[in-house]
Structure formats: structure tokens, C-alpha cells
Amino acid sequence: MRGIDDLGDVAGRTILLRADLNTPLDGTTITDDGRIRASLPTISKLAGRGARVVILAHLGRPSGDSYAQRAAGGPSLRPVAARLSELLGHEVRLAGDVAGDSAAAVVAGLADGGVAMAQNIRFEPAETSKDDAERAGLARRLAALAGPGGLYVGDGFGALHRKHASVYDLPALLPHAAGDLVLDEVAVLRQLTENPQRPYAVVLGGAKPSDKLAVIANLLGSADRLIIGGGMSYTFLRAQGHEVGKSLLEEDMIPRVSELLAEAARRGVEVVLPVDLVAATHYGPDAEHEVVPVGEFPADRESLDMGPATRERFASALADARTVFWNGPVGVFEFPPFAAGTRAVAEAISQVSGLTVVGGGDSAAAVRILGFPDDAFTHISTGGGASLEYLEGRPLPGLAALEADGAAG
């Protein structure tokens, strides 16, 4: 897979840069600019070499059947363009559309070394269409923006598991390369899958086991220890016969969870589950709560966090690890009274002497909200879903597109 250093002289050439700038917003205020900052090295390198950089990115999941409906409902990339302008120290002009007259005018006005951005690419229904022809049509319109000598750089790791027009179809139309962020992400994932230092511990949290059962099944062939907390742990506890009250539960997943627990035992993979939980009266930051052992959970309560004995147990299971991958908080960390479990996991992982990977999404947001610096971990991924699918052993369409030869060389 070619990197941007393999593109040769890019001065004066228009580069369509697919980035992942899907930042969390509170209204129009960015609450975590981690993905924007992670994209800066590639943007700066290309602009510094005199390229005319046009960023393609998505934000949220706009609803509607037409461009007009989606654009009216938003969200606009305006806050992202403003933050990127601050970080780069010069204006990043935002087009009023994705591949229309406004985008064409913005691209035409770019000077060498300039950076601009198209509007939220998901305003175009064809971006996420399952119809190959619709996606291909949008890809051709985007490629036309680049003009003669145009190039494509894929640096949106968090979108590589999507078969979308700007991720999968567009690279086939232009000479292309992977950005530095994508190369770094893939290099880390290869360390996790090809020859990890041992013990190799995987921490999985989040809401639902159904989202992660396939990756758990695949990890049974490589991990030494699975530490399971958060919402998904309640289905595992129920599979062992424990009462979980009104906690998150996927009843239909219990048979599959039981099979995975048995398979883990056969393979000698240790599965570490909670031994006590924080039982709350309801879902909310003001909920009354108490710590109870897993064998004594009240039927009228729901768990919102791991208890102190579980926190100690998880920390102990991580203490001797040489490789750690973590995806998913183990409690409702957004509510301060229920953030202790996730904080304990982050603290324990930050103390590991070896490769530590925070698998994007809510996990990345959690460590930042809880005050951990990025350098407390070896790597904070920008793509939770993409990381999980890679670890599951599934091909990533966007990665395959970057690895293929471009139409023009």
C-alpha cells in the first residue's frame, strides 16, 4: 500500500483527502477534537509540499431522502472547518455543497499549499447508497473536482470499513495513496494480530455483546485474557445464571455467549467478569445507588458501573500484560457517579509497560473526558468500528481500495 511519500511531486496538484473528522458536538460546539488533531500531520504534510488539499469528510448521520433534506437537517461541517482553521493557523474555506458549483468554485480558488473542505459528504445520499451505480456516479463527480493531475489520499481510518463512494469507489478513479494516519493505524493493528507480546489482554465494554461477539470469537485464537465489563457484561453474567435486574440485556444472545465461554475454557483463554456492580434505581446522574455482589443483584435495579472489587480485579488482570487492546467503557462514564470503573480501567492500562491501544469511539472519548493525556497510551485509535472489524478478521472495503492499483497509475 502506497503512502503519500510515494506520490512524488504534488506541488500545484489537487488532492482529494478523505479524512475522518466525525467529531462529537454539543449543539455546534466540538466536545472532542481528537480526530481533527489526528488528521493534522497528513494535511500539513501535503499542504507543505504545495498540494491543493480538498478535504472530504462526514459528520453524523444526516437523515432524509434527498440532498436538500439532509443539508437542511444537518449537521454542517462548519464547526469542524473553524476548528481546523484554528489548528492550521489559516482559513480553511468550507464549500456550500459537496460536489456542486460551490465546491468547484472553492477548489478553483485554492492556491498551492491551500486547504479547503467540501460540505458534509453524507448530505449526498449516494455516498452511503447500496446501489453501485449511484455511488459510482458520485465518485465521478468528486473525481472531476480534482481536475487533470488530481490525486486521492485516504486518511479516514474510521470510515475504512464502509463501502461508501468517497471511501471505496473514488480511489479507483485517481492515483491514490494512504495517509499517514491510516498507515499508523494499520501498523498498530498488525502488531495486535500478527505477533503480539504476551500476555495479551483485551478489554471489551460498551452496551451490547451482539456488536462484539464475532470479534470475541476471533480473539479466542490470539488473546490470553478477555476482560469484559460494562453493558455487555450483564448478558455474560446472565449466561452464568446471575440476576441482572433491569440492566442492559440481550436475552437472545445468551446461548451464543454460553458457547463462547465454553470455547474460551477449552482454549485456555481466561475470561474476567465483574464480581460486584453498582446497582442504581434508574438511569441518570442523580440515581440512588449501592454496590452489590453479582450474586445478590436486586431485580428492580440496573447496573451503571463496576464495583470496587471488580475494579481491583480488572486492574490485577492487566498488571502483567504486555499488549492491551481496549474497546468500550465499562460504565456510564458520562455521569460522574458512575465513571469510577472506566477510570480504573484507563488508569490500569496507562500503567502497562508495553503496547496499549485504546480502540476509538467511546473509549477514546472517555479517556479524554476523564483527563488522561493522549500519551498515557501507546495509541488512541480514531476508528472503533474499523478496529473491531479488522480484529474480527473481516476485510475493510476502504483498505482494499487503497491497496488496489489506481485507474491512472
Side-chain angles (χ1 to χ4, degrees), residues 14-76:
T14 299
I15 294 181
L16 301 182
L17 172 64
R18 181 51 162 102
D20 180 8
L21 307 179
N22 189 25
T23 56
L25 296 175
D26 181 1
T28 59
T29 301
I30 295 171
T31 57
D32 178 7
D33 67 355
R35 282 179 170 164
I36 302 175
R37 289 185 287 108
S39 297
L40 283 177
T42 295
I43 296 169
S44 298
K45 181 183 285 188
L46 293 171
R49 288 167 54 184
R52 303 176 182 187
V53 181
V54 180
I55 298 171
L56 308 176
H58 69 277
L59 187 61
R61 297 186 177 183
S63 60
D65 296 328
S66 67
Y67 182 98
Q69 289 175 340
R70 295 185 177 199
S76 167

Side-chain angles (χ1 to χ4, degrees), residues 108-267:
L110 268 181
D112 293 359
V115 180
M117 183 182 294
Q119 249 303 355
N120 189 344
I121 197 159
R122 288 188 181 171
F123 286 172
E124 291 278 0
E127 165 70 0
T128 57
S129 175
K130 295 190 183 334
D131 186 293
D132 292 348
E134 287 183 12
R135 290 197 322 274
L138 175 58
R140 286 192 295 271
R141 291 167 57 209
L142 292 168
L145 287 176
L151 302 167
Y152 174 91
V153 171
D155 207 38
F157 175 75
L160 287 186
H161 59 312
R162 306 295 189 189
K163 194 175 183 181
H164 291 172
S166 66
V167 176
Y168 177 76
D169 302 273
L170 183 54
L173 303 180
L174 297 169
H176 56 259
D180 289 351
L181 185 153
V182 162
L183 292 178
D184 289 346
E185 293 270 16
V186 172
V188 167
L189 288 170
R190 283 178 176 156
Q191 289 184 69
L192 292 174
T193 54
E194 293 178 1
N195 190 25
Q197 292 189 47
R198 299 187 182 280
Y200 175 20
V202 176
V203 184
L204 295 175
K208 299 184 295 184
S210 57
D211 293 338
K212 293 168 184 165
L213 289 183
V215 75
I216 290 173
N218 203 46
L219 286 169
L220 291 178
S222 58
D224 301 300
R225 196 172 296 146
L226 294 178
I227 302 167
I228 298 173
M232 67 180 302
S233 69
Y234 311 134
T235 302
F236 280 77
L237 292 172
R238 191 75 186 92
Q240 293 185 329
H242 294 294
E243 171 68 61
V244 295
K246 297 180 179 179
S247 307
L248 283 170
L249 180 65
E250 289 189 302
E251 288 273 5
D252 58 332
M253 291 292 110
I254 290 176
R256 180 59 179 141
V257 166
S258 298
E259 292 173 2
L260 287 173
L261 288 170
E263 180 64 18
R266 282 193 294 272
R267 289 174 175 253

Side-chain angles (χ1 to χ4, degrees), residues 261-331:
L261 288 170
E263 180 64 18
R266 282 193 294 272
R267 289 174 175 253
V269 177
E270 182 183 3
V271 178
V272 183
L273 291 169
V275 292
D276 62 347
L277 300 168
V278 179
T281 54
H282 64 277
Y283 183 89
D286 59 344
E288 295 182 16
H289 54 277
E290 62 179 332
V291 175
V292 296
V294 294
E296 302 174 16
F297 198 89
D300 62 345
R301 297 287 184 101
E302 64 178 305
S303 177
L304 298 184
D305 198 9
M306 308 292 97
T310 297
R311 300 197 293 268
E312 290 182 13
R313 188 176 195 216
F314 284 7
S316 177
L318 288 163
D320 67 341
R322 296 290 296 161
T323 303
V324 178
F325 174 76
W326 174 29
N327 182 280
V330 299

Side-chain angles (χ1 to χ4, degrees), residues 327-363:
N327 182 280
V330 299
V332 187
F333 71 91
E334 299 92 340
F335 300 157
F338 306 108
T342 301
R343 184 185 297 280
V345 167
E347 179 63 35
I349 294 174
S350 74
Q351 300 301 314
V352 169
S353 176
L355 176 67
T356 55
V357 181
V358 179
D362 288 341
S363 308

